[in-house]
Amino acid sequence: MHNYELIVIGAGAAGMMAAISAAKNGIPGEGILVLERNEKPGKKIYITGKGRCNLTNACESEELFLNVPRQAKFLYSAFYTFSNDQVIEFFESAGMKTKVERGNRVFPQSDHASDVIGALKRMMDRYDIRVDYHTRVRKILARDGSVSGVELENGKTCHAKRVLIATGGKSYPTTGSTGDGYLFARELGHSVTELRPSLVPFTAEEEDVIRMQGLAPKNVRVQIIDPDRPKKVLYEGFGEMLFTHFGVSGPLMLSASSVVNDDIAKKKLKLLIDWKPAISEEQLDKRILADFEQNQNRQFKNALSGLAPAKLLPVLMDRSGIAPDKKVNEITREERHALVSTLKAFSVTLTGLRDFNEAIITRGGISLKEVNPSTMESKLVPGLYFAGEVLDLDAFTGGFNLQIAWSTGYLAGLCAAENYCNET
């Protein structure tokens, strides 16, 4: 039987930051215990940003909130207590140089996610924070309605007046995110909203879309619409996407999954891709006409090389309805307009989302109605705190989800420390 001032469940981004914040703001390091079921900390951090770790975004604070599509107001206290600028300053002071790339994305200068974890470990060591690995929590204990500690899977009990759940969501379960935090919260009376994969690729219906596997256009404009209400645009964006063996992915589509998550759970949606967003239909028609005039005696299939990527060409020919062997000088105006329409509004039927194994984050989690946004403490169980992906919070790609983890973790640790200091 051991006694601690704060037990943090989960040594991921939110959990490590919470422990550091608690130690920095008043709880002695030896009074903090971090419990991690894996053999090392930050297992999910290792794989974020393709192993480079996009740790935050250097945009203005107003833009941070715009990149949280739901319930952004809940994050006001957390973001302003520990902002993106303070996150960068934290890692720099921990000996990790950072750099800013396109879209204000912030990375370690080394391009190694392991350096982010190294910086967090150094800070935990600086405060003598204990971390127990290969340790799984069975349940959180409560006495007289308040937190009293945790019971471990091996039967041991650790006592604490404050317990912080930072177990992550259900995305990438191989990293240890299997939903334990939701179970602990439910057992203590908390509600958990519906859990769905987010920042996740889409599956598509059309076989010709699958045939374009590997094609990765960088400058396309997309719209997602409800086929029953075609004038209602559910999502619109410009950027990079990727065609896969099951449908579509890439930064543009991952962000789209956050916005249309509820809609695609109910029905199929239509994706419209504009392959030539920089020019109008009339301008595109003039360009194609000019190309055709230079290739009058060539077959249609040999006159498109400068117009579209190679993997798109056979699909363009099929969808425009123009026979590949037809001479360019025989193509009618109507056929040319069909080609323009195909390029400006290439239609894909989105049938659903891939599962949690491919999701970057989880949509849903501990109901925010039951958590104090100024402290991250439970409104139902005194001494119980939450941070990170276990909460019903998610954001777009670009470092915003990790910013949520750092900010909520820091605020939870700070308020746990203030609670401790008020007692002593």
Side-chain angles (χ1 to χ4, degrees):
M1 193 180 295
H2 303 279
N3 291 296
Y4 296 92
E5 297 301 334
L6 171 65
I7 294 174
V8 178
I9 308 173
M16 285 191 280
M17 185 57 79
I20 293 164
S21 172
K24 177 184 175 184
N25 289 290
I27 299 181
E30 61 270 20
I32 301 170
L33 173 64
V34 180
L35 301 173
E36 171 55 51
R37 62 183 290 181
N38 289 315
E39 75 286 357
K40 60 185 178 183
K43 210 162 180 182
K44 191 173 176 183
I45 295 174
Y46 275 106
I47 60 172
T48 60
K50 298 178 181 175
R52 295 174 62 218
C53 188
N54 176 194
L55 59 106
T56 187
N57 195 287
C59 64
E60 296 296 321
S61 57
E62 293 79 10
E63 194 175 332
L64 275 177
F65 295 114
L66 291 175
N67 278 277
V68 181
R70 301 177 307 118
Q71 310 191 102
K73 285 183 179 178
F74 180 87
L75 286 164
Y76 284 0
S77 290
F79 275 178
Y80 286 122
T81 299
F82 197 58
S83 68
N84 48 354
D85 290 336
Q86 288 168 292
V87 167
I88 295 167
E89 186 181 317
F90 169 87
F91 282 102
E92 294 274 354
S93 69
M96 190 198 83
K97 297 289 185 186
T98 61
K99 61 179 178 179
V100 181
E101 296 189 359
R102 184 173 54 84
N104 285 318
R105 288 169 163 83
V106 180
F107 292 90
Q109 197 173 78
S110 64
D111 281 332
H112 294 142
S114 56
D115 286 352
V116 174
I117 297 154
L120 291 162
K121 284 175 71 177
R122 281 194 298 277
M123 294 301 285
M124 289 199 294
D125 289 344
R126 185 180 298 178
Y127 289 110
D128 294 321
I129 296 167
R130 176 176 170 177
V131 185
D132 285 358
Y133 300 106
H134 296 290
T135 305
R136 191 166 183 178
V137 174
R138 180 181 291 159
K139 64 190 277 191
I140 295 174
L141 304 174
R143 184 183 301 145
D144 299 326
S146 297
V147 160
S148 61
V150 300
E151 181 184 313
L152 306 180
E153 209 169 43
N154 61 14
K156 292 182 180 177
T157 299
C158 299
H159 289 290
K161 291 183 179 178
R162 288 156 284 272
V163 174
L164 194 152
I165 299 177
T167 50
K170 290 190 72 174
S171 57
Y172 292 137
T174 53
T175 64
S177 299
T178 53
D180 287 357
Y182 307 128
L183 177 63
F184 301 149
R186 280 196 181 107
E187 287 176 341
L188 292 168
H190 273 276
S191 346
V192 177
T193 63
E194 184 182 357
L195 305 172
R196 289 204 293 266
S198 193
L199 292 188
V200 64
F202 289 84
T203 52
E205 191 169 82
E206 292 83 1
E207 287 185 14
D208 58 5
V209 171
I210 312 303
R211 274 172 26 213
M212 293 193 288
Q213 177 183 348
L215 178 58
K218 291 197 182 317
N219 298 300
V220 292
R221 184 170 300 283
V222 302
Q223 286 187 338
I224 297 178
I225 60 173
D226 180 340
D228 297 328
R229 295 180 296 165
K231 289 186 178 179
K232 184 174 174 58
V233 177
L234 302 174
Y235 174 81
E236 186 167 12
F238 174 84
E240 302 175 36
M241 64 180 294
L242 172 69
F243 289 84
T244 70
H245 65 284
F246 54 76
V248 286
S249 184
L252 204 51
M253 302 314 300
L254 295 182
S255 289
S257 72
S258 283
V259 178
V260 304
N261 205 294
D262 293 337
D263 300 280
I264 201 152
K266 300 170 190 166
K267 62 166 76 172
K268 295 177 183 179
L269 302 176
K270 183 177 282 191
L271 168 68
L272 297 174
I273 304 169
D274 184 348
W275 293 91
K276 301 290 179 183
I279 55 177
S280 66
E281 285 197 18
E282 293 76 16
Q283 291 169 320
L284 179 58
D285 188 41
K286 285 179 182 177
R287 179 186 159 179
I288 292 172
L289 191 56
D291 286 349
F292 281 2
E293 285 173 356
Q294 290 180 350
N295 297 280
Q296 286 188 47
N297 296 313
R298 301 184 78 179
Q299 292 176 316
F300 176 56
K301 64 184 179 184
N302 298 321
L304 293 174
S305 58
L307 188 65
K311 284 196 173 182
L312 174 59
L313 292 179
V315 179
L316 268 184
M317 286 183 254
D318 287 348
R319 291 202 177 196
S320 65
I322 305 171
D325 296 331
K326 191 169 189 175
K327 289 283 184 70
V328 166
N329 59 16
E330 296 174 355
I331 293 174
T332 66
R333 180 183 177 187
E334 288 71 24
E335 287 175 324
R336 195 178 73 246
H337 285 175
L339 176 60
V340 169
S341 296
T342 304
L343 279 164
K344 292 294 286 182
F346 187 94
S347 178
V348 177
T349 304
L350 302 175
T351 55
L353 299 172
R354 298 289 276 184
D355 63 20
F356 280 111
N357 291 305
E358 295 177 50
I360 295 175
I361 56 162
T362 304
R363 161 95 171 227
I366 309 299
S367 172
L368 302 186
K369 295 175 183 175
E370 301 164 359
V371 180
N372 185 335
S374 300
T375 62
M376 295 297 135
E377 187 175 11
S378 165
K379 292 179 179 179
L380 309 181
V381 186
L384 180 64
Y385 295 82
F386 301 98
E389 194 181 340
V390 74
L391 290 160
D392 182 15
L393 288 166
D394 59 276
F396 296 143
T397 57
F400 301 105
N401 286 288
L402 267 176
Q403 180 64 46
I404 290 175
W406 308 132
S407 293
T408 56
Y410 188 92
L411 180 59
L414 167 67
C415 293
E418 287 178 348
N419 183 290
Y420 162 79
C421 291
N422 289 336
E423 288 178 355
T424 55

